[in-house]
Amino acid sequence: GRAPKQGVAWAHPIPCPAVIPPPPGRSCNNYARCLYSQIAASGGTSIYVHMPLTWKDDPDSDKDPWETWNSVRMLCEHHFCLFVALEVTSDLPTDETLTQWLCEPVKLLILPTSIFLTNTSGFPVLSKRHQNFLRSFFWYNVEVAVSGRPRHEGGLLVYSQYLQHLFSSRTPLSDSERFEQPYWDFLQIPLQPLADNLESQTYEVFEKDPVKYVNYEQAVYLALIDLQANFGFRQDPFIVMVVGAGRGPLVRASLRASERANIAIFVYALDKNPNAVVTLRNMRVTENWADRVEVVQSDMRDFSPPVKADILVSELLGSFGDNELSPECLDGAQRFLRPDTGISIPVSYTSWIAPISSSKLHQEVKAYNDVKHFETTYVVKMHTHKVLSDAQECWTFSHPNREVPIDNSRQSRHRFQVKRSSCLHGFAGYFDALLYADVHISIYPETFSTGMFSWFPLFFPIRTPMFVGKGEEIELQLSRCVGDKKVWYEWAVVAPSVGPVNNVNGRSFSIGL
């Protein structure tokens, strides 16, 4: 215990950004105790716990160094000053173990000169598997240090040049990934759609999505073809109502679908946001929509249309499908539809959920230092994370909803089998929406709409991270609750150990009706 204690103590009086104490042994309880006592006294110096990828004296050992690191951090109560200096060993563990480290707070990769091979020109190189591991970490803002005596001519410089070459040969980000990069691991509280009016900048971001509106156009096109087939030739145009029209992307998509199908439509573009309505009215003039589009400023719950709609088009979906009140809004708007033949786009949407490990997201929520933020859901582009088990289906909403009475509360229970030992920090929520026929938009990983960036997953945090052993089950109880004036989620982990019910009665976060 003396070495880590001394290292941190010596660093305390000087402006040292981080300290790397010697590695812990496999039994780390006293090591962690000494470390924690010094962290508590040091006033914010970062500690990089030196961990090898495999135990050097026994690379085939059943005891995983990750489990030692996890014990250290749990004994130190997941302190925000605690990070990892990960030593890359010549023997690499399984790919499953390597990806586990990608969701940990690794700040430094230590590369001993002994793990480098020599190429035909006499220069240091790494094995293909080592290269791939390093490249995967290059997108995680880590520093790299070479340790040990140089084993090649040219000294440490040739190692540095090789690593710079590796760094420059990373696979470049795609257009959508470049758009998403500033949002990596950034917590955003979901919209309050009935209370908030979107800003122009938000509309602009959504309108740049290269996938969503193409799919909406295809859905309207197929719906018009089917309506034409059912009705035969009709003198009057089909009525399309776009609810939540924003600055018009769904209006444009509907008009393009009409032109492709060569079927006449008349569009009612409905929005409650006065700024969006001004834009829509200008577009009606500048784009010569006067004979095809009527702009209406109204809350969809108050609007009384002069005619019934053949198609009701909306994009009220949140990251979890129903978390921005799409069911409640569309239940109110379905009175606009023709009772027997009216089509809603989307037709239905399904919510999915999966357990995740992410020390980064846990620390982001923990920084607020209250229970309320642990009982709030967040829209977040998860980057430093690992999905611990395949996502499971929660529930589905379908439109138009002909149930009497309509009940939008839901409950689901999930059992997730974990493939390797890990640390549970919360859950990722996704949706898959059926727009019409076979046209989907989805952020559920199995059916993800490649290139679409309008939605990021929804994060359900838990207050106290849980160690989950290999082969153990995570059991989750999830509820969507509906009151007179609000909708909220409650969630509780009941295995491998029992945690509290989060957000009971919507005390910390809800969506106002």
Side-chain angles (χ1 to χ4, degrees):
R2 184 183 294 174
K5 203 166 182 176
Q6 274 185 347
V8 180
W10 287 339
H12 183 42
I14 58 175
C16 182
V19 176
I20 308 176
R26 295 182 207 196
S27 176
C28 61
N29 297 354
N30 194 47
Y31 178 96
R33 182 189 67 79
C34 295
L35 210 56
Y36 199 14
S37 72
Q38 288 304 305
I39 290 171
S42 71
T45 300
S46 294
I47 310 293
Y48 292 5
V49 179
H50 186 163
M51 294 302 308
L53 275 173
T54 57
W55 296 114
K56 295 176 199 172
D57 56 341
D58 187 5
D60 299 320
S61 168
D62 289 339
K63 179 74 172 171
D64 182 353
W66 177 86
E67 291 193 20
T68 302
W69 150 248
N70 192 53
S71 296
V72 170
R73 97 167 131 194
M74 292 188 90
L75 286 162
C76 296
E77 294 190 289
H78 300 264
H79 199 280
F80 67 89
C81 286
L82 217 52
F83 301 95
V84 178
L86 188 61
E87 183 175 332
V88 182
T89 48
S90 52
D91 293 293
L92 291 181
T94 63
D95 288 344
E96 192 75 23
T97 300
L98 293 178
T99 56
Q100 179 69 45
W101 285 107
L102 289 173
C103 67
E104 300 299 346
V106 177
K107 286 287 189 182
L108 178 68
L109 289 177
I110 299 173
L111 305 181
T113 53
S114 58
I115 71 169
F116 286 84
L117 308 173
T118 305
N119 68 10
T120 52
S121 304
F123 290 108
V125 291
L126 290 169
S127 74
K128 280 280 188 286
R129 199 151 173 256
H130 282 83
Q131 288 178 39
N132 291 337
F133 177 62
L134 240 65
R135 283 198 186 100
S136 64
F137 255 110
F138 284 154
W139 291 114
Y140 288 84
N141 197 25
V142 296
E143 294 182 291
V144 180
V146 176
S147 69
R149 183 176 55 80
R151 294 167 172 249
H152 297 80
E153 280 187 32
L156 289 173
L157 179 63
V158 290
Y159 297 93
S160 171
Q161 289 169 338
Y162 174 69
L163 291 171
Q164 285 171 354
H165 162 71
L166 263 190
F167 183 81
S168 63
S169 64
R170 290 177 302 172
T171 305
L173 297 176
S174 66
D175 288 345
S176 58
E177 286 170 332
R178 269 201 305 277
F179 169 82
E180 293 164 353
Q181 190 176 12
Y183 301 98
W184 284 352
D185 297 327
F186 177 73
L187 302 178
Q188 302 174 73
I189 293 177
L191 298 171
Q192 291 277 358
L194 299 184
D196 301 339
N197 283 327
L198 296 186
E199 296 175 358
S200 184
Q201 187 180 357
T202 309
Y203 284 124
E204 200 168 327
V205 169
F206 290 151
E207 287 163 16
K208 287 177 180 171
D209 195 301
V211 176
K212 177 170 60 171
Y213 298 113
V214 171
N215 289 19
Y216 264 99
E217 179 187 329
Q218 180 66 6
V220 175
Y221 169 80
L222 293 173
L224 287 171
I225 297 291
D226 285 352
L227 285 170
Q228 179 94 301
N230 292 338
F231 281 97
F233 176 75
R234 210 169 84 166
Q235 192 72 37
D236 297 328
F238 288 105
I239 303 296
V240 175
M241 286 189 188
V242 177
V243 291
R247 302 197 315 179
L250 287 181
V251 177
R252 280 200 182 95
S254 300
L255 293 172
R256 285 196 302 268
S258 161
E259 287 160 10
R260 272 177 60 204
N262 198 25
I263 297 171
I265 64 170
F266 188 85
V267 179
Y268 285 85
L270 183 71
D271 206 288
K272 67 178 175 59
N273 184 343
N275 298 325
V277 168
V278 168
T279 305
L280 286 168
R281 286 179 175 152
N282 283 336
M283 289 168 70
R284 186 170 178 261
V285 174
T286 57
E287 305 207 14
N288 297 318
W289 290 351
D291 58 340
R292 294 183 293 165
V293 177
E294 181 70 39
V295 177
V296 180
Q297 182 179 345
S298 174
D299 189 310
M300 67 184 75
R301 294 170 294 180
D302 305 326
F303 179 51
S304 298
V307 290
K308 294 287 187 185
D310 296 290
I311 304 175
L312 182 69
V313 186
S314 64
E315 53 170 332
L316 306 170
L317 298 170
S319 298
F320 200 46
D322 56 72
N323 65 300
E324 291 183 11
L325 303 184
S326 181
E328 287 71 24
C329 291
L330 291 181
D331 290 345
Q334 69 186 25
R335 69 185 189 281
F336 305 162
L337 277 172
R338 290 183 185 273
D340 299 321
T341 58
I343 295 169
S344 169
I345 297 176
V347 172
S348 66
Y349 35 91
T350 300
S351 303
W352 297 78
I353 200 156
I356 67 160
S357 181
S358 176
S359 175
K360 168 75 171 167
L361 292 183
H362 175 76
Q363 292 296 350
E364 291 287 325
V365 181
K366 189 181 175 186
Y368 288 104
N369 203 26
D370 60 24
V371 169
K372 177 183 176 182
H373 283 85
F374 273 113
E375 297 192 331
T376 299
T377 58
Y378 300 92
V379 174
V380 54
K381 177 58 188 171
M382 298 174 186
H383 180 59
T384 314
H385 82 295
K386 183 172 190 279
V387 177
L388 303 182
S389 187
D390 292 340
Q392 294 180 10
E393 185 176 330
C394 302
W395 48 67
T396 298
F397 287 93
S398 300
H399 301 285
N401 185 352
R402 303 301 185 195
E403 290 177 7
V404 180
I406 289 175
D407 180 9
N408 288 329
S409 61
R410 296 286 191 274
Q411 282 202 350
S412 64
R413 200 175 182 99
H414 306 270
R415 285 190 176 91
F416 301 98
Q417 188 93 29
V418 173
K419 295 168 189 168
R420 62 147 283 134
S421 297
S422 195
C423 187
L424 175 70
H425 292 104
F427 297 85
Y430 316 97
F431 78 87
D432 182 332
L434 174 62
L435 295 181
Y436 186 74
D438 61 349
V439 183
H440 286 252
I441 51 173
S442 172
I443 64 165
Y444 165 49
E446 295 295 311
T447 57
F448 184 77
S449 302
T450 305
M452 188 173 73
F453 54 68
S454 286
W455 293 273
F456 299 148
L458 195 68
F459 178 47
F460 293 81
I462 60 171
R463 279 178 246 172
T464 306
M466 285 186 190
F467 173 75
V468 189
K470 180 181 178 180
E472 286 189 325
E473 281 192 341
I474 296 167
E475 191 169 336
L476 169 71
Q477 176 75 40
L478 179 65
S479 304
R480 184 185 198 264
C481 308
V482 182
D484 292 337
K485 295 186 176 177
K486 64 182 183 180
V487 173
W488 70 96
Y489 298 100
E490 296 177 3
W491 62 99
V493 179
V494 293
S497 56
V498 178
V501 176
N502 291 282
N503 198 31
V504 66
N505 295 329
R507 67 184 176 187
S508 295
F509 181 75
S510 60
I511 311 106
L513 285 168

